[in-house]
Amino acid sequence: MYFIATHRELQFVLGRGGKIRVSENHSSFVPILTIDSLTAVRGYNLLFQGLNFKLQSGQFAALRGPNGTGKTTLLRMIAGFIEAETGTIEKVEEYRERGPFYLGHDHGLRASETPLSHLTDWADIHYSPRSDIPDILERVGLTLRQHVPAYSLSAGQKKRVALARALITPRLLWLLDEPASALDTAGQALLCELMKEHLDEGGAILAAIHDDLELTPDLVLDLGAFA
Amino acid sequence: MFSTFANPHRFLALSKWLMPLFAVLGAIIVATGWAWAFFFVPEELYQGATAKIMYIHVPAAMVSLAAYASMAVCSLLFLTLKHSIADVAAKSAAPVAAALSFICLVTGSLWGRPTWGTYWVWDARLTSMLFQLFLILGYMALRSAFQREQDAARAGAILCLVGAVNLPIIKFSVEWWNTLHQPAGFITLGGSSYAPEFYWPLWYNLIGIGLVFGALMMAAMRAEIFNRQYEAKLARMNRSAA
Amino acid sequence: MSEPLTGQVNSGDIFIWASYIISAVTLGGLALWTAGKLTGAKKRLNMLNSHETEKTSED
Amino acid sequence: MMRNGVAAIFRRELSLAWAGGSGLFLPAAFFAGTIFLAPLGIGPEPRLLAASAPGLIFVALCLASLTTLERIFQADLEVGALDHHRLSGLSMELATLAKVAAHWLVSGLPIALLTPVAAVMMRAETVTLQSILPVFLGSITIFLWGGIGASLTAGLRRSGPLVALLILPLFVPVVIFGAEELNHVLTGQGFGAGLGLLAANSLAALAISPFAMSLALKLE
């Protein structure tokens, strides 16, 4: 067992088998993500301004708004890829100064990489044990195709590899940009399962979703309101 | 881009009167300086009349080096303190620095033709000026390759700083290379050991070219700020209309 | 430019003229280009401002 | 253990370059091609060829490395893998250095090892294994400065020629000192001082380029 994240003297303990368990002696809600008066600009048009938002541990927030209102920009800003014009984003400090788990539109697999090689490299890069890769592959249903190079994998299969990445290096904050796209019904069921598990263990999720998954969000952030 | 536009008003107010002053003053000084050098300076001992080209070549070289140095300083300011005015300054100084480097190279080779017999000599200063011109053109090309202004600014600033670090290295290595390949007794491009009647026109022209550089840079900066304000206002209007 | 690009040259005057003219043309060209850019930018901004004031005065 | 963190990025980059197959020996082939064509242009006269050998070898080295430099970061950026490197908690400086090192090992080193062959083809007098040293050090500097050019233009679509324009001036010291040193080696004179200067160049590049590269890549 080792600590996964610390937040003002509260410790989040990583249980055996990679599960996150919020330690007993804590108040139930720990702030994972706090945004205040955030402004975002793309080129010269203003996407949103004065955005305030708070996400607690165990909460699932749905990010809504028509296309082009800056959902992806907001997620990438929280992940730290884009600098905010004004306003601040405060995230819980993850284990080993990692960033949050970011699942974007592109899957991050080079053409000649196989699921197994990609996940092994991913585990090594993040100092995670390689031992649990086989059953994670089993969990996302890629055991049969673990040696197939990426150029002959379907978009859905590559998205499952991306989901497997979240299991190999557990992190508290998940940022999902239309996670259900390219997934078949079985894939979407798997996605919901993983999200439910993550929330039960004290993690938080901010996801830009259109079609409503079975999982009902605890709160909704509509970017249209901040345009 | 919004918040950082507060302070350009100070610059706009300052340059509103400073830029025309520099422009007029610079034009007068350069015109008279060139005339002075062209008509009145007596024949130089062994270079003959061609020494007159020095009065364009040396000021252009000095001011273009100063221009690249100011671009590097502005790039450093932009990267560390995110002053968007510093980025506007660096972007506006580039064309002037390129023009002056070009003038320096052309006048240098024109001066070389009668003196050394060929248009191009791998003299250390000429060669490093050539590579400075390459770096500036690269800077301008890199900046225009990006759609978003922030990416262009950041990439340009990094390249400018890397270039600034390398220019002295290039100058040293070409100088060292020159001593190896060049036969002895080579006339260097003129130092400052001039007799007084040659000395003053050189300083006079230097001030003139310096003022012209200041005027051109400020004009380009004002144009750039107006452009950015125009686009920002246009975007705001589209959004309020949408 | 029939004669070779290197070798001994007798009168140096042509080169003095050439360097003065080329420098004047380059600096002049740059000044005109910058002035054009400046007036263009100013004009567009003013046109936008006047458009905006006239729009706000309407609605 | 050497397996985790930045070493993993280095290993991943190596295996990807290796698996790329044809792309692997492109720089070495480019280098060999230039060296093969040059005598046809310069003429077979041995003394002339030997005199131009060092300079030509270094120019060919510069141009050959340009062919792969552009792909160092672009390949990862395209598929979105660069985002994960930013989130991995590893210092971007070390990560970019590891990527450049992997690419150098795959393309820069083979060129250095080819130098004796190129020297023989250019009819140099004394071709020894030491002739690898100047090109070895030179290629390190070239890949480090080139890495900066690659990181600056990673986000652009067709940026190949732009990378060349940006960083060719940075290769000037390498070509000057390298060719001079290679000349000493190939003509059997004493060498070593020039190697020091070349090493100084690569150390300067090693000190500066990781920060410039990570600065260019860190923010969008």
Side-chain angles (χ1 to χ4, degrees), chain C residues 27-58:
Chain C
L27 281 181
L30 184 66
L32 288 180
W33 177 69
T34 317
K37 220 159 66 110
L38 181 56
T39 44
K42 220 184 282 185
K43 197 156 48 63
R44 278 196 313 181
L45 195 59
N46 295 345
M47 181 262 293
L48 195 66
N49 290 345
S50 60
H51 169 69
E52 194 176 32
T53 43
E54 143 215 326
K55 194 163 75 65
T56 44
S57 56
E58 281 150 23

Side-chain angles (χ1 to χ4, degrees), chain D residues 72-204:
Chain D
I72 291 182
F73 297 112
Q74 210 162 34
D76 269 343
L77 195 68
E78 271 157 11
V79 291
L82 206 61
D83 294 345
H84 308 306
H85 290 167
R86 290 178 188 147
L87 294 177
S88 62
L90 299 171
S91 88
M92 274 301 277
E93 285 80 7
L94 283 177
T96 48
L97 202 57
K99 288 169 81 69
V100 168
H103 267 257
W104 173 77
L105 202 62
V106 164
S107 4
L109 194 55
I111 293 180
L113 300 178
L114 275 176
T115 323
V117 174
V120 166
M121 283 174 68
M122 299 285 282
R123 313 288 300 275
E125 288 99 10
T126 57
V127 179
T128 60
L129 278 185
Q130 282 98 346
S131 66
I132 293 175
L133 284 174
V135 181
F136 178 87
L137 285 173
S139 60
I140 294 175
T141 317
I142 284 172
F143 267 75
L144 284 169
W145 291 129
I148 297 181
S151 65
L152 285 174
T153 59
L156 302 174
R157 235 68 49 215
R158 239 186 33 71
S159 65
L162 185 61
V163 179
L165 172 70
L166 296 186
I167 45 177
L168 274 184
L170 308 185
F171 292 166
V172 163
V174 175
V175 171
I176 290 176
F177 296 127
E180 191 50 37
E181 193 53 21
L182 191 56
N183 197 15
H184 284 297
V185 173
L186 290 183
T187 50
Q189 303 161 16
F191 61 92
L195 287 185
L197 283 169
L198 276 171
N201 257 306
S202 0
L203 286 177

Side-chain angles (χ1 to χ4, degrees), chain A residues 96-119:
Chain A
R96 275 185 179 272
E97 309 109 30
R98 291 185 193 133
F101 172 69
Y102 175 74
L103 179 62
H105 295 298
D106 29 29
H107 39 73
L109 276 155
R110 295 266 287 269
S112 57
E113 276 187 299
T114 69
L116 181 62
S117 78
H118 179 75
L119 293 178

Side-chain angles (χ1 to χ4, degrees), chain D residues 39-66:
Chain D
L40 303 181
I42 298 176
E45 205 265 334
R47 229 167 21 78
L48 189 60
L49 271 183
S52 58
L56 202 73
I57 286 176
F58 262 86
V59 168
L61 167 69
C62 289
L63 298 181
S65 48
L66 280 182

Side-chain angles (χ1 to χ4, degrees), chain A residues 76 79 81-83 96-100 102 106 108-110 112-113 121-122 124-127 130 165 171, chain D residues 3-5 8-9 11-13 16 19 75-76 78-81 83-84 86-90 219-220:
Chain A
R76 291 186 75 86
F81 301 152
I82 301 174
E83 216 177 341
R96 275 185 179 272
E97 309 109 30
R98 291 185 193 133
Y102 175 74
D106 29 29
L109 276 155
R110 295 266 287 269
S112 57
E113 276 187 299
D121 291 341
W122 175 270
D124 289 349
I125 288 176
H126 294 83
Y127 295 88
R130 286 189 184 180
R165 281 203 292 263
R171 302 176 199 206
Chain D
R3 197 186 61 175
N4 297 76
I9 294 186
R11 195 197 61 226
R12 173 174 182 267
E13 201 64 37
L16 285 177
D76 269 343
E78 271 157 11
V79 291
D83 294 345
H84 308 306
R86 290 178 188 147
L87 294 177
S88 62
L90 299 171
L219 282 177
E220 226 150 56

